[in-house]
Amino acid sequence: MDSLLTGKTAVVVGGTLGIGRALALGLAAAGADVVATSRAQSGVDAVAASIEALGRRTLRIASDVTDRSSLVQLRDAMLAEFGTVDILVNSAGTTRRIPTLECTEEIWGSIMDVNLTGTLRACQIFGSAMLERGEGCILNIASLVTFVAFHEVAAYGASKAAVGSLTRSLAVEWAKQGVRVNAIAPGIFPTALNRELLESARGHELLMRTPMGRFGHVDEIVGAAVYLCSDSASFTTGQILVVDGGLLASGVNQ
């Protein structure tokens, strides 16, 4: 796998924490030059150092998916440095558990702005350069809630269901112009952002519903991402690949 992406240049939006960080480092380990970006410059610098330690090139540029101009500046800097951006991974996301009757339009809008509209912004900005060149790969991060509902996260669920729809729509629209668009729907992967939640009753229920009997490790999502971003998936577009230990396939586990 360490040569599947040799010669490719990738950007991972939301690439400094959790799954995004694992994907940024995984793409670099597979041979790509990778720019991991997020709002926090300290996180950008830390992941960039790890990418450079793998012998890959990178840039240290922070960005915000809610700020179109910051994404434009990032794209232009990457094109100036590398000439192309072959791969875009959209991993920035946010959630909030709240009863739907208490979910204000402001809360709803902020979650949509990051998870859905932020994904759209990055697809438009980086996708335009891919379409002009006639080649490129976009990988969005969907969710289990793209398919099934979780309790009291209606805004997050709606945003991720829409990310799945957006993925398929762009795949169909851009296929003849050489740009593939797919998504990964991760199962339960403990990170700093959700570890406390997974220690609650909800975490216990999720564990019971997972046939493998455990949660995933973030490194276990890398192989799926490398495949979808590589030439091995040259005839694969509009797909949402679920990596969940069997949770969505499960009815009764015992």
Side-chain angles (χ1 to χ4, degrees), residues 94-100 103-113 115-116 145 150-162:
T94 186
T95 189
R96 179 169 175 179
R97 182 174 182 177
I98 186 172
T100 303
C103 182
T104 65
E105 290 187 15
E106 289 74 19
I107 293 171
W108 179 277
S110 67
I111 291 172
M112 289 291 176
D113 195 29
N115 295 353
L116 176 58
V145 298
F150 282 22
H151 188 57
E152 293 183 342
V153 288
Y156 180 74
S159 72
K160 287 298 188 178

Side-chain angles (χ1 to χ4, degrees), residues 7-249:
K8 305 285 188 181
T9 300
V11 57
V12 182
V13 179
T16 61
L17 292 172
I19 289 173
R21 180 181 181 276
L23 293 180
L25 296 178
L27 297 183
D33 294 323
V34 181
V35 174
T37 185
S38 70
R39 292 182 298 173
Q41 186 65 53
S42 60
V44 171
D45 292 339
V47 179
S50 296
I51 291 169
E52 289 170 342
L54 292 170
R56 311 304 178 203
R57 298 166 63 198
T58 188
L59 295 174
R60 289 170 161 78
I61 302 176
S63 67
D64 182 347
V65 294
T66 67
D67 179 359
R68 176 175 288 270
S69 64
S70 75
L71 295 176
V72 171
Q73 291 170 7
L74 174 63
R75 179 202 62 193
D76 291 349
M78 290 188 66
L79 291 176
E81 177 69 20
F82 301 111
T84 64
V85 180
D86 302 293
I87 298 164
L88 164 66
V89 179
N90 284 307
S91 188
T94 186
T95 189
R96 179 169 175 179
R97 182 174 182 177
I98 186 172
T100 303
L101 289 180
E102 299 174 17
C103 182
T104 65
E105 290 187 15
E106 289 74 19
I107 293 171
W108 179 277
S110 67
I111 291 172
M112 289 291 176
D113 195 29
V114 173
N115 295 353
L116 176 58
T117 311
T119 296
L120 172 65
R121 288 186 189 102
C123 286
Q124 288 177 327
I125 290 164
F126 287 93
S128 63
M130 294 176 180
L131 290 167
E132 182 177 345
R133 181 172 163 235
E135 184 178 3
C137 171
I138 295 173
L139 181 64
N140 296 325
I141 301 301
S143 168
L144 296 181
V145 298
T146 303
F147 306 98
V148 297
F150 282 22
H151 188 57
E152 293 183 342
V153 288
Y156 180 74
S159 72
K160 287 298 188 178
V163 166
S165 180
L166 176 64
T167 298
R168 290 185 287 268
S169 294
L170 293 181
V172 170
E173 186 174 344
W174 293 350
K176 290 183 179 179
Q177 294 163 276
V179 177
R180 297 184 298 106
V181 187
N182 293 291
I184 288 176
I188 310 304
F189 290 81
T191 67
L193 296 178
N194 68 6
R195 191 163 282 112
E196 182 177 347
L197 175 66
L198 295 182
E199 293 173 354
S200 67
R202 174 172 287 190
H204 178 70
E205 180 181 353
L206 289 167
L207 189 61
M208 289 289 292
R209 288 174 178 268
T210 303
M212 284 191 174
R214 64 175 178 86
F215 297 137
H217 305 289
V218 289
D219 290 345
E220 291 179 297
I221 205 168
V222 170
V226 170
Y227 162 69
L228 288 173
C229 292
S230 74
D231 293 339
S232 295
S234 58
F235 198 56
T236 302
T237 196
Q239 301 304 305
I240 304 174
L241 178 56
V242 180
V243 184
D244 72 344
L247 191 152
L248 285 186

